[in-house]
Amino acid sequence: MPDSFRQMHRPGDPFILANAWDAGSAKMLVALGAQAIATSSAAHAFTLGRPDMGTLTRDEALDHAQDLVAAVNVPVSGDFENGFGEAPETCAETVRLAAEAGLAGICIEDTALPDDAPYDAPLAAERIRAAASAARALPRDFMLVARADGLLTGHYDEAEATRRIQAFEEAGADAVYVPGPPSMEALGRLVKATGLPFNALVSGPFAQFSRAEFAALGVARLSLGSALARATWRTIHDAGQAMFTKGQFDPLADALPFATVNPMLT
């Protein structure tokens, strides 16, 4: 068993970074075997009745992260969107505040929220450089993951994603993350383009692949994003449709027994 969050990041032997959205889901995931927990900006926004993409404040994200840190005894990483500001200095301050909140690390993406367009490449790299410098100055270890989101948002191609993660590596990131590549083959090329541990998003079409298949590509970490939260929303959606359109309650028969849930939260 790795004795630190950093040591969990082993290329070719990926751990599952389970994205939770409240203390209860975090505790349940740990009870089921999660070695580490992450926040999800989308899942957190959903709990507040908001859409994703820049609707959370930094204070809200920090408070939420502290709730998860207090709930579990495993490392917690923060999905901290674009670092909650454009300026490199803002990203550096976000790192310092995240560490004070007890987080083991955070992701910072290159999307200029609330728009979905990316920051210009030089600025994107400078933001990571400032964040990495702040992380190295902390009194304890802290994992800074740099995200290149242009494939996910459709704003740039694989070649640009490759250039960006290589620039993030040069800027001092500890790991990189490129959600939304078009295929497993493309994911494999991206993994090989950097010497850093690589986080892959298990969502959408990538949910059909096994941990072993990601391991074969050299992936070091598998995160769920908002996929698990949206699977929960699917249950509410389907049960609600049955109740309110058909007057039927059959989906509730599949509810997890009280006796199963309750012990995981004690």
Side-chain angles (χ1 to χ4, degrees):
M1 177 71 71
D3 59 10
S4 78
F5 187 53
R6 183 178 298 275
Q7 289 175 334
M8 293 181 188
H9 294 73
R10 298 189 299 272
D13 184 19
F15 74 99
I16 299 170
L17 182 63
N19 298 81
W21 52 93
D22 60 14
S25 59
K27 291 181 75 170
M28 187 175 187
L29 287 163
V30 171
L32 290 168
Q35 293 179 277
I37 294 295
T39 66
S40 161
S41 63
H44 180 201
F46 297 163
T47 68
L48 299 175
R50 303 176 196 166
D52 190 23
M53 299 292 288
T55 64
L56 299 172
T57 68
R58 183 166 65 183
D59 285 347
E60 288 173 330
L62 289 165
D63 288 346
H64 175 64
Q66 285 182 308
D67 288 344
L68 300 195
V69 169
V72 297
N73 60 355
V74 300
V76 178
S77 182
D79 172 7
F80 273 23
E81 299 192 290
N82 67 336
F84 300 103
E86 177 176 316
E89 296 79 8
T90 302
C91 294
E93 180 65 10
T94 294
V95 165
R96 290 188 285 269
L97 292 171
E100 289 176 8
L103 290 170
I106 61 171
C107 286
I108 293 181
E109 65 193 55
D110 62 350
T111 304
L113 297 172
D115 191 6
D116 68 354
Y119 293 111
D120 290 342
L123 175 58
E126 188 56 35
R127 285 159 37 81
I128 295 303
R129 190 179 307 280
S133 178
R136 298 294 81 78
L138 293 170
R140 62 174 178 84
D141 194 37
F142 188 90
M143 284 285 292
L144 175 68
V145 180
R147 278 180 54 161
D149 275 25
L151 292 181
L152 183 66
T153 59
H155 280 282
Y156 52 70
D157 60 12
E158 182 184 331
E160 177 62 14
T162 299
R163 285 190 289 269
R164 288 191 177 226
I165 60 173
Q166 290 173 342
F168 296 159
E169 180 174 7
E170 191 278 330
D174 296 305
V176 292
Y177 180 7
V178 185
S183 65
M184 284 289 274
E185 292 74 20
L187 175 62
R189 290 191 294 270
L190 289 162
V191 172
K192 291 177 181 177
T194 175
L196 295 178
F198 199 101
N199 183 103
L201 175 64
V202 184
S203 181
F206 287 89
Q208 68 184 297
F209 299 105
S210 68
R211 177 184 174 278
E213 288 172 292
F214 286 104
L217 297 180
V219 171
R221 185 169 100 179
L222 298 168
S223 60
L224 313 179
S226 65
L228 186 59
R230 287 183 286 109
T232 303
W233 282 73
R234 163 70 75 180
T235 299
I236 299 170
H237 173 273
D238 292 352
Q241 280 200 328
M243 289 187 293
F244 302 124
T245 64
K246 302 176 183 177
Q248 295 176 344
F249 303 91
D250 300 29
L252 301 183
D254 293 328
L256 203 59
F258 181 89
T260 300
V261 177
N262 215 44
M264 288 191 279
L265 303 181
T266 57

